[in-house]
Amino acid sequence: MRKIILSIVAVLAMALVPVSCSDVEIPEAVTAEKVSNLTYTVNGRKVTLNWQNPIAAGLSGIRIIKNNTEITELDKVVDSYVIKRADINTDVAYTVKARYEDGRVSEGQTVSFNIPYQSQAKVGFLIAYNSVDEIEDDDEKAAAEWFQTTYPDGVILTPSGLDELYVDEVSTIWIQTDRVGLSPGWKNLPASLVSDGAVAALQQFVKDGGNLLLTKHATQLAVPIGRIPERFAPGIFGAGEGGSGADNWTMNAVIGSGQAKAYDHRSHPAFAGLETNPDYGHETYGLEGPGWREDHNCMWDLNAYGLRETSPAADNVVEAFEGETAATVLATWGHVADYCCAGIVEFNATADYPGKIIAIGLSSYEWNQNSGVNRYQANTERLTKNCIDYLFK
């Protein structure tokens, strides 16, 4: 222990002047004891700092400083720190200091680096498993396999890797959840997709400008990531076994086609090149033909949100919903000619969420018709590719 000898004069002076704890300044640094051997390793966008702590007793924590600004203070003594989202093509300096129990802070050691990085953004498909081979539901697996074939340079994403998700590497992500027996509500989606970490990563992704395609039950993810409030969660929900039918299931891209004021979205890129169907007396796009069909809607009942009260100036519930959610209702069930339901919704870019989201919640959007080849499989695939390519631009 270092002894401090005070002169008699200093002692007398201290006796004459009352002091309190707040009058005592804690030294800024312990100059003889400092962090040493600070190094860094780079793995893609991840940088790991390693160092050796002082051997003096009383260490209680670590301070990390980036470019003269403290970014974290750890209440434990460690000798490494991982920077998950390191700056790229930028000069940065990281300083590490040790903190003592009495409040003193050691001198720091600094390393500087610049990570040269170039990447070509890709399309991603997020699954709730560790690999495509593990996927159990036939529709989810069919979608994943089609994605791999159609986008050979695309990336299969897993929940464990979401903390290393960068918009400049993957700018558009498709998430497909379509399961028999699933209960309504986003908290009942696969646990790996709605963990705190997964939700935070997806929210940050859209806030960084990343785009999402959410299909079937995954449309509910718009709620936990904060793009829409809970009151606007999809309310038309199904997860039944389904049944056999002889009709065609289609979608109508003219919202309110039987009303005085209609919203025609047939020119939207999502519908480019789709085969049309006249079954309901107006032009629709077929998605599923005769055979066994699962009952898996996960879409919006626009009459259920009290929109006439909250947006009295709007002409109708479609206009009200679009205004309150910064969205565009692109399609509904093929037979619907009024304003009741939203089956495909584009959530437009906003100041807080510059990334766009397209949500497809129509039951007719089924990737593997169990009774055989879907008469409109080509439309399902074309719609999906249209949406991905539109978001990816």
Side-chain angles (χ1 to χ4, degrees):
M1 181 180 293
R2 195 177 292 177
K3 295 183 179 179
I4 301 175
I5 303 176
L6 300 177
S7 68
I8 296 177
V9 174
V11 171
L12 291 174
M14 291 176 64
L16 293 173
V17 181
V19 297
S20 67
C21 292
S22 61
D23 296 320
V24 180
E25 293 187 1
I26 297 175
E28 288 295 324
V30 181
T31 57
E33 303 154 351
K34 67 178 183 178
V35 167
S36 59
N37 298 324
L38 177 61
T39 61
Y40 68 91
T41 56
V42 179
N43 181 12
R45 296 285 294 274
K46 181 191 295 184
V47 175
T48 302
L49 304 177
N50 293 280
W51 62 88
Q52 184 176 337
N53 288 307
I55 59 174
L59 291 180
S60 63
I62 300 296
R63 292 175 64 184
I64 309 291
I65 296 97
K66 174 187 175 185
N67 295 343
N68 298 316
T69 300
E70 183 174 310
I71 60 172
T72 189
E73 184 161 355
L74 306 174
D75 291 326
K76 58 182 178 179
V77 181
V78 297
D79 57 10
S80 67
Y81 179 74
V82 176
I83 306 161
K84 294 182 178 179
R85 294 175 175 270
D87 297 332
I88 56 174
N89 303 315
T90 304
D91 294 327
V92 292
Y94 280 87
T95 301
V96 179
K97 298 183 178 183
R99 193 187 69 235
Y100 292 82
E101 293 173 350
D102 60 8
R104 296 176 298 164
V105 178
S106 80
E107 285 189 348
Q109 189 172 30
T110 301
V111 289
S112 300
F113 52 83
N114 185 316
I115 303 174
Y117 193 86
Q118 293 182 345
S119 66
Q120 180 67 43
K122 297 180 179 181
V123 176
F125 186 96
L126 176 60
I127 61 177
Y129 303 84
N130 294 317
S131 70
V132 171
D133 289 339
E134 296 178 21
I135 298 176
E136 298 176 358
D137 183 87
D138 62 307
D139 296 295
E140 292 181 19
K141 192 158 192 172
E145 291 174 344
W146 174 87
F147 173 83
Q148 290 179 303
T149 300
T150 307
Y151 295 93
D153 294 328
V155 181
I156 296 295
L157 301 170
T158 62
S160 62
L162 287 179
D163 61 345
E164 297 178 24
L165 181 61
Y166 310 108
V167 170
D168 61 333
E169 293 181 348
V170 178
S171 63
T172 298
I173 298 175
W174 175 21
I175 308 175
Q176 155 88 345
T177 304
D178 187 5
R179 302 188 180 185
V180 173
L182 196 70
S183 297
W186 66 265
K187 293 182 181 179
N188 295 310
L189 289 170
S192 59
L193 296 181
V194 293
S195 67
D196 291 344
V199 168
L202 291 173
Q203 181 183 62
Q204 189 62 51
F205 177 75
V206 182
K207 286 190 171 186
D208 288 342
N211 303 315
L212 294 177
L213 173 61
L214 305 177
T215 57
K216 299 304 283 277
H217 296 135
T219 60
Q220 298 172 106
L221 285 170
V223 174
I225 67 173
R227 180 56 183 82
I228 56 175
E230 188 81 44
R231 68 175 280 242
F232 286 127
I236 301 175
F237 184 91
E241 294 281 355
S244 184
D247 59 339
N248 293 304
W249 283 5
T250 73
M251 60 179 174
N252 185 2
V254 183
I255 309 301
S257 57
Q259 309 300 307
K261 184 175 183 179
Y263 304 89
D264 189 345
H265 298 294
R266 288 175 293 179
S267 62
H268 191 283
F271 309 116
L274 297 185
E275 179 185 345
T276 60
N277 175 286
D279 287 2
Y280 299 103
H282 52 261
E283 183 177 82
T284 66
Y285 303 110
L287 284 181
E288 194 163 23
W292 190 273
R293 284 84 62 96
E294 293 176 341
D295 177 21
H296 289 186
N297 285 296
C298 192
M299 49 188 277
W300 288 264
D301 178 357
L302 300 183
N303 291 322
Y305 302 116
L307 290 165
R308 297 186 184 280
E309 290 73 32
T310 56
S311 296
D315 285 344
N316 50 65
V317 291
V318 173
E319 186 176 303
F321 179 79
E322 293 180 338
E324 292 197 32
T325 62
T328 303
V329 177
L330 294 178
T332 184
W333 289 316
H335 64 280
V336 170
D338 59 17
Y339 303 125
C340 74
C341 310
I344 302 182
V345 178
E346 179 176 357
F347 294 101
N348 304 308
T350 67
D352 292 332
Y353 290 85
K356 295 185 289 187
I357 299 173
I358 291 183
I360 302 176
L362 295 163
S363 183
S364 51
Y365 180 85
E366 185 171 354
W367 268 91
N368 184 57
Q369 191 168 8
N370 300 98
S371 56
V373 178
N374 175 14
R375 158 77 175 80
Y376 287 106
Q377 183 68 28
N379 266 7
T380 296
E381 295 176 5
R382 185 64 180 264
L383 171 65
T384 305
K385 191 174 189 305
N386 285 345
C387 289
I388 291 175
D389 294 349
Y390 167 73
L391 293 170
F392 188 56
K393 289 181 180 179

